[in-house]
Amino acid sequence: TCMDAQFGQVLAELKKQGLDKDTVVIFISDHGYNLGEHGLWQKRSLYEDSARVPLIIAAPGAKANGRSAQTLVEMVDLYPTLAGLSGLPRPAYLDGTDLRPVLDDEQHVAKPAAFTQVRRGNNGEGYSVRTERWRYTEWAEGKSGLELYDHQNDPDEFTNLADDPQYEAVIK
């Protein structure tokens, strides 16, 4: 893609200037983007299209540089990862997971779930938990709606399973 090419140019220039051995480069967005999916535009939803963001990390000596990882991560993982890559101590109060194992092995599973929160109009606060297979969402503490999507069978999140008693255990 265009962004990948630009990222590659930045890395090439760092190498040309001899700065690639001690420079970490990260590209990330603060949100995904709906382009009409589910009848929505822009951001402010908890569907995968809005909650999932691009993340590229190039770290000196990382064995998985240039490879794509599929593990769940969260933005709170950036600080502990950068601290670890920089050799800085991790404060005890810090949330997040150090992603350095993923940077050396793209098959490494960083965490079992990722959490997302958004505020959207009359639906109020929405909270979502995403596992490898499922996304579960509550709007206004469940008062404005519940959503459950099976990413194994419904990756585009078209079929809300939250009201189906068969999935009560998944929701719990």
Side-chain angles (χ1 to χ4, degrees), residues 24 81-88:
V24 176
T81 302
L82 286 170
L85 288 168
S86 302
L88 299 173

Side-chain angles (χ1 to χ4, degrees), residues 43-113:
K43 54 184 180 177
R44 296 194 184 188
S45 82
L46 289 171
Y47 291 116
E48 189 78 359
D49 297 312
S50 185
R52 185 178 180 139
V53 301
L55 172 61
I56 303 172
I57 302 174
K63 296 177 185 132
N65 276 344
R67 296 191 202 132
S68 180
Q70 298 304 310
T71 188
L72 296 168
V73 300
E74 301 168 286
M75 290 193 190
V76 296
D77 300 331
L78 291 177
Y79 185 102
T81 302
L82 286 170
L85 288 168
S86 302
L88 299 173
R90 177 187 172 137
Y93 61 83
L94 191 63
D95 288 331
T97 300
D98 186 340
L99 300 176
R100 284 182 296 166
V102 178
L103 299 178
D104 283 329
D105 175 10
E106 74 278 7
Q107 299 298 317
H108 180 81
V109 175
K111 55 180 48 178

Side-chain angles (χ1 to χ4, degrees), residues 8-159:
Q9 286 186 3
V10 169
L11 297 179
E13 186 62 28
L14 286 170
K15 185 171 187 171
K16 180 179 169 185
Q17 293 189 27
L19 300 171
D20 59 317
K21 302 289 187 238
D22 61 358
T23 303
V24 176
V25 181
I26 295 178
F27 170 77
I28 191 165
S29 175
D30 66 332
H31 58 81
Y33 209 79
N34 293 299
L35 295 173
E37 300 87 359
H38 302 280
L40 300 171
W41 292 95
Q42 300 177 350
K43 54 184 180 177
R44 296 194 184 188
S45 82
L46 289 171
Y47 291 116
E48 189 78 359
D49 297 312
S50 185
R52 185 178 180 139
V53 301
L55 172 61
I56 303 172
I57 302 174
K63 296 177 185 132
N65 276 344
R67 296 191 202 132
S68 180
Q70 298 304 310
T71 188
L72 296 168
V73 300
E74 301 168 286
M75 290 193 190
V76 296
D77 300 331
L78 291 177
Y79 185 102
T81 302
L82 286 170
L85 288 168
S86 302
L88 299 173
R90 177 187 172 137
Y93 61 83
L94 191 63
D95 288 331
T97 300
D98 186 340
L99 300 176
R100 284 182 296 166
V102 178
L103 299 178
D104 283 329
D105 175 10
E106 74 278 7
Q107 299 298 317
H108 180 81
V109 175
K111 55 180 48 178
F115 299 87
T116 308
Q117 173 186 346
V118 71
R119 180 163 188 79
R120 183 177 78 187
N122 294 335
N123 285 333
E125 293 285 334
Y127 299 91
S128 182
V129 59
R130 172 74 155 86
T131 65
E132 182 179 339
R133 180 169 181 182
W134 304 98
R135 174 179 301 283
Y136 175 68
T137 301
E138 291 186 359
W139 290 99
E141 299 177 8
K143 297 177 189 127
S144 289
L146 305 175
E147 300 173 33
L148 177 68
Y149 300 100
D150 179 352
H151 276 252
Q152 181 176 309
N153 297 306
D154 180 24
D156 294 319
E157 300 176 330
F158 289 130
T159 305

